[in-house]
Amino acid sequence: MNRRLSGPGAWILYFITALLMVFILAPLAVVVAMSVSDSYFVSFPPQGFTLKWYGKILQDRDFLAALQLSGLLAFSTTMGSLLLGIPAAIALTRGRFPGQDLLKGLVLSPLIFPALVTGLALMQLLSAMGSGDARINLLIGHIVVTSPYVIRAVVTSLLLVDYNLEDAARTLGANRLKTFWRITLPQIAPGVAAGALFAFMVSFDNYPVTMWLANSEYSPVPLVLMRQLVNVFDPSVPAMSTVIIILAVVGVLILERLVGLRRAAAM
Amino acid sequence: MNSAEVRLQALSKHYHRVAAVDDVSLTIEPGSMVALLGPSGCGKTTCLRMIAGLVSPSSGDILVNSERITRVPVHKRNIGMLFQNYALFPHMTVSENIAFGLDMRGIGKADAVKRVGHALDLVRLADFGGRFPSQLSGGQQQRVALARALVIEPAVLLLDEPLGALDKGLRESMQVELRALQRRLGVTTVMVTHDQDEALTMADRIVVMRDGRLEQVGTATEIYQRPASKFVATFLGASNLFNGTVERRNGGETLVTTGAGLSLSVDGVAADARDVVVSVRPEAVVVNRLNGSSPPQNVPNTIVAEIEQVIYRGFISHYYLKLQDGQELIAYQQNQTRDVAAAYAQGEKVIVRWDRSSNHVIAKD
């Protein structure tokens, strides 16, 4: 497994990998470059260098409010989808009940259905139920969208946990809750962390569902960004985008520190 | 350590109407080691897991010291269990693994440390407390698992194919070590194995299981020398089985003849029996050269056979023989001189015979 690559095959592989990295990272680099452009319109390549757009957005109340809302929303969404997703994943892997396979498919369905449709349906449902608070609606909508990521990641890591470990803990005197807390959870920690990161990021930059559920009072970052884009397309838009990129990178680094990205990525 | 008596009463487990364990009743003496032996799917593991509480029985009862524990949840049963793959907690050190059961019992830190140290001494791993399971060899991991199971002073110790994952040499020394430890502590032990050598080496009593039922229960000698069924006779070691008819009775002795014209003098045939099965262990069969002499007629437990194959196995040779009517016969003989085994030619006619005490009549199929 640990064999090093060598020969011409390796060089072709390195080349393809490098190409792929460029493909993924180049657009992000363009955004970052545009955000420091010293002009009133977005342009690439950037003209001059300035950080004034960052200064501008950091004084923009709308953006700061959106950032705060999105952060809080993403955090609550992550917690909510962990609380729902981990027990669901346990039931799907450890339990044995009729319709289990069907349920497995259904649980992952928000990954398959267009988010736009999910959002529309949620808006209809929530307004029919008379739920008028946009923050609650956003939270519910985001949990619906993100919990499949958590369930997927946790199911995958649960399948790798030897159930004999749980049996052993129980024979040693641990009840089911203690067994989960002391034995199972440490084993699936990388999967939980990966699921949490996905949930956070998906919630943070979700547009299609958010669009239906937000209102003028509570608008998360993606909506503010979009509105700004439509009104004045100045370099403050790429500056906002850069802030989001930085947040994402920080999130990944924290995950790397906590559980090791390689283990999390394997989930 | 107080030894507990374990009793299974008409224990059954059904999965979708298929009986995995079917009406098993068994009493396990305090301090003894019992091996549940049988091929895979015979219900031995299900039996063990029911004693542990990891599987709930469909019917019947489990009693420890006459106390019904059938409905007691696993974590309150005070049972030490060894799993086939050791099931050590990978995120805990050796000491933490061993301390886990004490922690669950709310035993104070100072006391726990002392007991963990004692358990590590017991399995001769005193210097390994700080290591992680992944840093240990298979045998060491097995010892940690044993220490973890014993440190809680369980009423019963359950071993699920405990040495299955170890290589042969280590397995044999662990068998002896585990057995000695079990004797010393006097903890009532039930083990599951499909390995007859392991059962013979370690257990006071062997329980042979087949299709969820008890086939025979007895000491190693009883089971090996007086198998109750054809299944036991062939599962535990090899056996030559002869189907014969009762020819004549002479007091306690009965003469049985087989299709190949072999006559067997046996004891202990039921008075009304006509068709019987006689088993003879391969090591009882003596192979000799004809040396030109004419084959003996009407001598019990003696017959002419043809050499099919001789396999040299070091201190013994396995002789694969064929009788006149095509029945196959196996003989194991210790090698006396260097060239005996090689001297038999394929197809050579030989005389085989055995002592009449080696004839054992099998009661049921």
Side-chain angles (χ1 to χ4, degrees), chain A residues 86-114:
Chain A
I86 294 173
I90 290 171
L92 288 173
T93 47
R94 293 290 190 267
R96 203 173 288 166
F97 50 88
Q100 194 169 5
D101 288 335
L102 184 72
L103 199 65
K104 240 182 224 173
L106 277 177
V107 155
L108 300 179
S109 64
L111 293 180
I112 300 157
F113 292 143

mmCIF file of all heavy atoms in Angstrom, chain A residues 86-114:
data_model
loop_
_atom_site.group_PDB
_atom_site.id
_atom_site.type_symbol
_atom_site.label_atom_id
_atom_site.label_comp_id
_atom_site.label_asym_id
_atom_site.label_seq_id
_atom_site.Cartn_x
_atom_site.Cartn_y
_atom_site.Cartn_z
ATOM 1 N N ILE A 86 -25.987 11.563 13.746
ATOM 2 C CA ILE A 86 -25.248 10.471 14.391
ATOM 3 C C ILE A 86 -26.189 9.350 14.833
ATOM 4 O O ILE A 86 -25.959 8.193 14.487
ATOM 5 C CB ILE A 86 -24.389 11.003 15.557
ATOM 6 C CG1 ILE A 86 -23.282 11.919 14.997
ATOM 7 C CG2 ILE A 86 -23.753 9.860 16.326
ATOM 8 C CD1 ILE A 86 -22.481 12.636 16.055
ATOM 9 N N PRO A 87 -27.287 9.679 15.553
ATOM 10 C CA PRO A 87 -28.212 8.576 15.899
ATOM 11 C C PRO A 87 -28.786 7.900 14.657
ATOM 12 O O PRO A 87 -28.931 6.674 14.634
ATOM 13 C CB PRO A 87 -29.314 9.283 16.691
ATOM 14 C CG PRO A 87 -28.695 10.526 17.199
ATOM 15 C CD PRO A 87 -27.694 10.943 16.171
ATOM 16 N N ALA A 88 -29.084 8.690 13.623
ATOM 17 C CA ALA A 88 -29.631 8.097 12.395
ATOM 18 C C ALA A 88 -28.617 7.135 11.786
ATOM 19 O O ALA A 88 -28.966 6.028 11.357
ATOM 20 C CB ALA A 88 -29.986 9.195 11.394
ATOM 21 N N ALA A 89 -27.356 7.543 11.769
ATOM 22 C CA ALA A 89 -26.321 6.691 11.195
ATOM 23 C C ALA A 89 -26.174 5.397 11.994
ATOM 24 O O ALA A 89 -25.990 4.317 11.429
ATOM 25 C CB ALA A 89 -24.983 7.438 11.160
ATOM 26 N N ILE A 90 -26.288 5.521 13.317
ATOM 27 C CA ILE A 90 -26.190 4.321 14.159
ATOM 28 C C ILE A 90 -27.346 3.377 13.858
ATOM 29 O O ILE A 90 -27.161 2.175 13.680
ATOM 30 C CB ILE A 90 -26.180 4.703 15.655
ATOM 31 C CG1 ILE A 90 -24.859 5.401 15.991
ATOM 32 C CG2 ILE A 90 -26.341 3.468 16.538
ATOM 33 C CD1 ILE A 90 -24.823 6.007 17.369
ATOM 34 N N ALA A 91 -28.543 3.955 13.756
ATOM 35 C CA ALA A 91 -29.711 3.121 13.456
ATOM 36 C C ALA A 91 -29.552 2.432 12.104
ATOM 37 O O ALA A 91 -29.887 1.265 11.947
ATOM 38 C CB ALA A 91 -30.979 3.964 13.478
ATOM 39 N N LEU A 92 -29.015 3.157 11.138
ATOM 40 C CA LEU A 92 -28.892 2.602 9.785
ATOM 41 C C LEU A 92 -27.827 1.519 9.697
ATOM 42 O O LEU A 92 -27.909 0.632 8.858
ATOM 43 C CB LEU A 92 -28.578 3.717 8.779
ATOM 44 C CG LEU A 92 -29.733 4.658 8.462
ATOM 45 C CD1 LEU A 92 -29.271 5.807 7.596
ATOM 46 C CD2 LEU A 92 -30.857 3.902 7.756
ATOM 47 N N THR A 93 -26.804 1.597 10.562
ATOM 48 C CA THR A 93 -25.755 0.582 10.470
ATOM 49 C C THR A 93 -25.918 -0.526 11.500
ATOM 50 O O THR A 93 -25.694 -1.683 11.204
ATOM 51 C CB THR A 93 -24.358 1.200 10.682
ATOM 52 O OG1 THR A 93 -24.405 2.046 11.830
ATOM 53 C CG2 THR A 93 -23.921 1.996 9.488
ATOM 54 N N ARG A 94 -26.301 -0.165 12.734
ATOM 55 C CA ARG A 94 -26.331 -1.168 13.793
ATOM 56 C C ARG A 94 -27.699 -1.822 13.939
ATOM 57 O O ARG A 94 -27.792 -2.956 14.362
ATOM 58 C CB ARG A 94 -25.940 -0.542 15.136
ATOM 59 C CG ARG A 94 -24.507 -0.091 15.219
ATOM 60 C CD ARG A 94 -23.562 -1.265 15.253
ATOM 61 N NE ARG A 94 -22.207 -0.848 15.558
ATOM 62 C CZ ARG A 94 -21.297 -0.555 14.644
ATOM 63 N NH1 ARG A 94 -21.616 -0.640 13.363
ATOM 64 N NH2 ARG A 94 -20.079 -0.185 14.980
ATOM 65 N N GLY A 95 -28.740 -1.094 13.605
ATOM 66 C CA GLY A 95 -30.077 -1.627 13.797
ATOM 67 C C GLY A 95 -30.438 -2.591 12.687
ATOM 68 O O GLY A 95 -29.730 -2.741 11.689
ATOM 69 N N ARG A 96 -31.537 -3.282 12.900
ATOM 70 C CA ARG A 96 -32.061 -4.143 11.848
ATOM 71 C C ARG A 96 -33.568 -3.988 11.872
ATOM 72 O O ARG A 96 -34.229 -4.407 12.798
ATOM 73 C CB ARG A 96 -31.657 -5.595 12.112
ATOM 74 C CG ARG A 96 -31.676 -6.423 10.837
ATOM 75 C CD ARG A 96 -31.120 -7.800 11.087
ATOM 76 N NE ARG A 96 -29.690 -7.814 11.290
ATOM 77 C CZ ARG A 96 -29.044 -8.868 11.783
ATOM 78 N NH1 ARG A 96 -29.690 -9.937 12.139
ATOM 79 N NH2 ARG A 96 -27.736 -8.831 11.922
ATOM 80 N N PHE A 97 -34.105 -3.285 10.897
ATOM 81 C CA PHE A 97 -35.541 -3.061 10.897
ATOM 82 C C PHE A 97 -36.044 -3.072 9.463
ATOM 83 O O PHE A 97 -35.272 -2.856 8.525
ATOM 84 C CB PHE A 97 -35.889 -1.733 11.595
ATOM 85 C CG PHE A 97 -35.107 -0.547 11.109
ATOM 86 C CD1 PHE A 97 -35.554 0.206 10.041
ATOM 87 C CD2 PHE A 97 -33.902 -0.201 11.729
ATOM 88 C CE1 PHE A 97 -34.840 1.302 9.598
ATOM 89 C CE2 PHE A 97 -33.177 0.897 11.275
ATOM 90 C CZ PHE A 97 -33.649 1.642 10.215
ATOM 91 N N PRO A 98 -37.339 -3.344 9.284
ATOM 92 C CA PRO A 98 -37.863 -3.408 7.918
ATOM 93 C C PRO A 98 -37.762 -2.045 7.220
ATOM 94 O O PRO A 98 -37.942 -1.006 7.851
ATOM 95 C CB PRO A 98 -39.319 -3.841 8.117
ATOM 96 C CG PRO A 98 -39.621 -3.630 9.558
ATOM 97 C CD PRO A 98 -38.337 -3.703 10.298
ATOM 98 N N GLY A 99 -37.449 -2.068 5.955
ATOM 99 C CA GLY A 99 -37.370 -0.836 5.182
ATOM 100 C C GLY A 99 -36.087 -0.067 5.388
ATOM 101 O O GLY A 99 -35.995 1.107 5.047
ATOM 102 N N GLN A 100 -35.081 -0.731 5.959
ATOM 103 C CA GLN A 100 -33.825 -0.062 6.271
ATOM 104 C C GLN A 100 -33.121 0.463 5.015
ATOM 105 O O GLN A 100 -32.641 1.601 4.985
ATOM 106 C CB GLN A 100 -32.918 -1.057 6.987
ATOM 107 C CG GLN A 100 -31.721 -0.437 7.664
ATOM 108 C CD GLN A 100 -31.032 -1.439 8.563
ATOM 109 O OE1 GLN A 100 -31.402 -2.602 8.599
ATOM 110 N NE2 GLN A 100 -30.043 -1.006 9.276
ATOM 111 N N ASP A 101 -33.100 -0.380 3.977
ATOM 112 C CA ASP A 101 -32.407 0.021 2.754
ATOM 113 C C ASP A 101 -33.109 1.196 2.082
ATOM 114 O O ASP A 101 -32.472 2.120 1.593
ATOM 115 C CB ASP A 101 -32.319 -1.170 1.787
ATOM 116 C CG ASP A 101 -31.317 -2.203 2.289
ATOM 117 O OD1 ASP A 101 -30.410 -1.799 3.045
ATOM 118 O OD2 ASP A 101 -31.462 -3.383 1.940
ATOM 119 N N LEU A 102 -34.442 1.122 2.100
ATOM 120 C CA LEU A 102 -35.226 2.204 1.517
ATOM 121 C C LEU A 102 -34.923 3.509 2.250
ATOM 122 O O LEU A 102 -34.699 4.558 1.646
ATOM 123 C CB LEU A 102 -36.714 1.868 1.613
ATOM 124 C CG LEU A 102 -37.667 2.867 0.948
ATOM 125 C CD1 LEU A 102 -37.549 2.758 -0.567
ATOM 126 C CD2 LEU A 102 -39.095 2.624 1.382
ATOM 127 N N LEU A 103 -34.878 3.408 3.579
ATOM 128 C CA LEU A 103 -34.642 4.579 4.399
ATOM 129 C C LEU A 103 -33.253 5.152 4.135
ATOM 130 O O LEU A 103 -33.060 6.361 4.078
ATOM 131 C CB LEU A 103 -34.791 4.214 5.880
ATOM 132 C CG LEU A 103 -35.014 5.411 6.798
ATOM 133 C CD1 LEU A 103 -36.331 6.080 6.493
ATOM 134 C CD2 LEU A 103 -34.977 4.982 8.258
ATOM 135 N N LYS A 104 -32.297 4.257 3.961
ATOM 136 C CA LYS A 104 -30.933 4.695 3.655
ATOM 137 C C LYS A 104 -30.932 5.559 2.401
ATOM 138 O O LYS A 104 -30.295 6.598 2.342
ATOM 139 C CB LYS A 104 -30.033 3.469 3.443
ATOM 140 C CG LYS A 104 -28.868 3.389 4.419
ATOM 141 C CD LYS A 104 -28.006 2.180 4.101
ATOM 142 C CE LYS A 104 -27.642 1.451 5.367
ATOM 143 N NZ LYS A 104 -26.960 0.183 5.143
ATOM 144 N N GLY A 105 -31.698 5.105 1.387
ATOM 145 C CA GLY A 105 -31.792 5.855 0.147
ATOM 146 C C GLY A 105 -32.473 7.200 0.366
ATOM 147 O O GLY A 105 -32.009 8.231 -0.112
ATOM 148 N N LEU A 106 -33.549 7.181 1.150
ATOM 149 C CA LEU A 106 -34.324 8.397 1.377
ATOM 150 C C LEU A 106 -33.515 9.447 2.127
ATOM 151 O O LEU A 106 -33.582 10.643 1.815
ATOM 152 C CB LEU A 106 -35.597 8.076 2.180
ATOM 153 C CG LEU A 106 -36.782 7.567 1.371
ATOM 154 C CD1 LEU A 106 -37.939 7.214 2.285
ATOM 155 C CD2 LEU A 106 -37.221 8.619 0.352
ATOM 156 N N VAL A 107 -32.748 8.979 3.108
ATOM 157 C CA VAL A 107 -31.982 9.893 3.935
ATOM 158 C C VAL A 107 -30.960 10.649 3.090
ATOM 159 O O VAL A 107 -30.659 11.810 3.325
ATOM 160 C CB VAL A 107 -31.298 9.094 5.069
ATOM 161 C CG1 VAL A 107 -30.069 9.808 5.563
ATOM 162 C CG2 VAL A 107 -32.279 8.876 6.205
ATOM 163 N N LEU A 108 -30.462 9.966 2.086
ATOM 164 C CA LEU A 108 -29.460 10.621 1.245
ATOM 165 C C LEU A 108 -30.085 11.415 0.108
ATOM 166 O O LEU A 108 -29.403 12.058 -0.660
ATOM 167 C CB LEU A 108 -28.503 9.565 0.672
ATOM 168 C CG LEU A 108 -27.750 8.765 1.729
ATOM 169 C CD1 LEU A 108 -26.855 7.733 1.066
ATOM 170 C CD2 LEU A 108 -26.929 9.661 2.628
ATOM 171 N N SER A 109 -31.435 11.381 0.035
ATOM 172 C CA SER A 109 -32.088 11.976 -1.131
ATOM 173 C C SER A 109 -31.835 13.476 -1.301
ATOM 174 O O SER A 109 -31.742 13.934 -2.432
ATOM 175 C CB SER A 109 -33.582 11.681 -1.101
ATOM 176 O OG SER A 109 -34.167 12.308 0.017
ATOM 177 N N PRO A 110 -31.724 14.272 -0.217
ATOM 178 C CA PRO A 110 -31.439 15.683 -0.471
ATOM 179 C C PRO A 110 -30.144 15.911 -1.244
ATOM 180 O O PRO A 110 -29.930 16.984 -1.816
ATOM 181 C CB PRO A 110 -31.342 16.277 0.942
ATOM 182 C CG PRO A 110 -32.181 15.386 1.764
ATOM 183 C CD PRO A 110 -31.980 14.022 1.191
ATOM 184 N N LEU A 111 -29.251 14.905 -1.251
ATOM 185 C CA LEU A 111 -28.050 15.027 -2.070
ATOM 186 C C LEU A 111 -28.380 14.810 -3.537
ATOM 187 O O LEU A 111 -27.630 15.189 -4.416
ATOM 188 C CB LEU A 111 -27.004 13.994 -1.641
ATOM 189 C CG LEU A 111 -26.392 14.152 -0.258
ATOM 190 C CD1 LEU A 111 -25.393 13.049 -0.004
ATOM 191 C CD2 LEU A 111 -25.721 15.497 -0.141
ATOM 192 N N ILE A 112 -29.523 14.147 -3.772
ATOM 193 C CA ILE A 112 -29.864 13.786 -5.144
ATOM 194 C C ILE A 112 -30.859 14.782 -5.731
ATOM 195 O O ILE A 112 -30.708 15.244 -6.849
ATOM 196 C CB ILE A 112 -30.458 12.361 -5.189
ATOM 197 C CG1 ILE A 112 -29.429 11.360 -4.653
ATOM 198 C CG2 ILE A 112 -30.873 11.982 -6.594
ATOM 199 C CD1 ILE A 112 -30.039 10.075 -4.145
ATOM 200 N N PHE A 113 -31.889 15.139 -4.937
ATOM 201 C CA PHE A 113 -32.872 16.094 -5.436
ATOM 202 C C PHE A 113 -32.222 17.462 -5.611
ATOM 203 O O PHE A 113 -31.364 17.850 -4.810
ATOM 204 C CB PHE A 113 -34.041 16.227 -4.453
ATOM 205 C CG PHE A 113 -34.874 14.998 -4.351
ATOM 206 C CD1 PHE A 113 -35.417 14.603 -3.138
ATOM 207 C CD2 PHE A 113 -35.121 14.220 -5.478
ATOM 208 C CE1 PHE A 113 -36.187 13.453 -3.040
ATOM 209 C CE2 PHE A 113 -35.903 13.075 -5.388
ATOM 210 C CZ PHE A 113 -36.423 12.687 -4.169
ATOM 211 N N PRO A 114 -32.671 18.230 -6.609
ATOM 212 C CA PRO A 114 -32.154 19.588 -6.758
ATOM 213 C C PRO A 114 -32.477 20.409 -5.504
ATOM 214 O O PRO A 114 -33.609 20.386 -5.027
ATOM 215 C CB PRO A 114 -32.920 20.133 -7.960
ATOM 216 C CG PRO A 114 -33.480 18.957 -8.654
ATOM 217 C CD PRO A 114 -33.614 17.870 -7.646
#
